[in-house]
Amino acid sequence: MDHLLPGPKTAVSRRPTGLGRFGEYGGRFVPESLVPACAEVEQAFTDAWADPLFRAELRHVLAIYVGRPTPVTPAARLSAELGVNLLLKREDLAHTGSHKINNVLGQALLARRMGKRRLIAETGAGQHGVATATAGALLGMPTTVLMGERDIERQQLNVFRMTMLGAEVIPVTSGTRTLKDACSEALRHWVTSVEDSYYCLGSAMGPHPYPWMVREFQRVIGDEARTQCAADLATGTPDFVVACVGGGSNAAGTFAGFVDTPALLVGVEAAGGAAISAGSPGVLHGFRSKVLQDEHGQIAEAHSIAAGLDYPGVGPEHAYLADLGRASYVCVDDAEVLAATHRLARTEGILCALESAHAVAWVIRAAGDGTIPPDATVLLTLSGRGDKDMATLMELS
Amino acid sequence: MNALETRTRAARDAGRKLLLPYVTGGVTDDWGDLLRAAVDAGADAIEIGFPFSDPTLDGPVIQQSSDQALRRGATTRRILDEIARVAPPVPVIAFSYANLVLRPGADAYCAALADAGVGGLIVPDLPVDEMAPVAAAAQAHALDLALLAAPSTPLRRCADIARRSRGFVYAVSLMGTTGARSRPHESARELVRCLREETDLPVVLGFGIAAPGQAAEAAGYADGIAVGSALMRRLLDGATTAQLGAFLAQLRAALEPAG
Ligand SMILES: Cc1ncc(COP(=O)(O)O)c(C=O)c1O
């Protein structure tokens, strides 16, 4: 882990330049039909984000509906076993059970402000779909969720939750029938309904302005955690800030709060979906970033036990942070993730999502091999709770 | 002016409506024969689809033909080899996706296309704002990079697209993916009218044109039509090359002025 560089005070986590550029990544690679729609979202978000009333409204909803701020919980017993000071930022306690709701409520309020009447979303694990269905119910907006057939099979509980919340779940049968195909289908769906529909994208990826906007809606995780750490820690900031990376929204939001501190930022990818660790520059779903692909430019299939990390790309800002050396990206395999899930449950009484367990697994490994020095403070974003994964875990045990 | 645009302008100036069939490269063993059949049926140029794993602009039919081609081992190289072997006597236009172009690098990609005798390039997920590096590479290799305009494109943007497109302007007839529709969008006519105010390039209408009646209607206001899903649907359903040629001949006939 000698590539873990100390954090330079680089001007990152700002607004992207030009047409959504984070260095050479980002951009807006969408069919012409969708360019005006993306431009409309960009304009609306720029206005809203500069409007104190919009910000206050979002803050209010996050407080009274989502239950923010979420606590930072010291993982006392696991910390003692590992010899480090591990703190958990508890996004699993947010309403609907993951950080996805932060972004969704921001976008749904934006959609309403834009006069849109329907919401469209893609989903992998179903957490973003559930969050969007929830926002749709809360604001009275009909919601359509595109979900790969294979994910529907392995996340049945979340499919049922979405239906309960009144959303329509459309199975996606093309390609690998997972998140990447759901993303393509959501873009196709949006093209046909752009007049009255708002595309509520679930991670810090996609065409400009989504990577930037989603990070801004998720930065509440990092901003809160920073304040909470400042109040609780003698040092003020943690030594390590760790989050799992699928598309990269919980990590982007977490990192945004610490990018100008000396904390080492670590994003943990699934070994079978490690776009940064194993990918190369490419264009997928409207943006340029690191993607898993073959020599011809065909996108490869990702494989992870965690449906939410089963994506061959990664948000452009992460590719940029990796190139700059401001954040490090590592990966863990399914076996480490399962072990970490069990260990966190037994030591802390927290059943976390398999996605979040990637971050836990890396901390366990890194504390063991000395990458995280003894007594270092680690802030880990626990992005979601594990209820949705119980069927998977039951099958495996 | 490059060869493709010389050709499209000459046809338009002679009062001939352009017929641009689309064929997914590598979709069957004998897809090369379909190129010849298309020429015999009166195609003015042929769009060859380079299959991509994640074709966000394509509807179910082209998704299926692309999947089939990829399963059969289609690659940029193999498709180009077949194009070079068949060497159709009309311009060939590559219908690609941004990642297929950028993976080898825009310059290497355009060089390979030009070497195989390809004359034009369409990259549907490369809007005018992102086109600069590819446009430069295309120009360097005498390829015409044709741009798409959609019913949602604002007027000023239409002007920009019309000015920077080469070969022709591709007017997307409706807000949707590729695929046959019973009736082109009403806004197609309006879009073509806007583009005409901005350019004297031929304007080709595409997306959703599936039947001779629609072709005839489009010929009333556009300079030509592109036909993809309707052809690939028949091919996937098992039509022979002769039958596909006959279908294209019907469209050709429908494009001729009545009487
Ligand atoms: C609990 C949880 N964590 C993490 C992710 C990965 O997404 P992201 O990288 O955008 O945070 C997901 C996605 O579904 C999720 O459900």
Side-chain angles (χ1 to χ4, degrees), chain A residues 97-100 123-129 158 179 202-205 214 218 221 243-252 306-310 314 318 352-357 381-385 388-389:
Chain A
S98 85
H99 68 292
K100 297 282 177 186
T123 197
Q127 289 302 96
H128 175 60
N158 271 347
L179 179 56
S203 191
M205 45 165 270
V214 175
Q218 290 293 5
I221 305 172
C244 69
V245 175
S249 68
N250 88 86
L309 305 187
D310 229 347
V314 64
H318 289 293
C352 72
L354 289 171
E355 289 80 7
S356 323
T381 294
L382 207 66
S383 57
R385 67 177 188 231
K388 70 185 176 60
D389 297 317

Side-chain angles (χ1 to χ4, degrees), chain A residues 296, chain B residues 25-26 31 50 69-70 72-84:
Chain A
H296 307 293
Chain B
W31 69 277
F50 285 69
L70 288 174
R72 296 173 43 81
T75 61
T76 299
R77 184 69 267 151
R78 286 188 190 155
I79 295 171
L80 289 177
D81 287 348
E82 181 66 1
I83 293 170

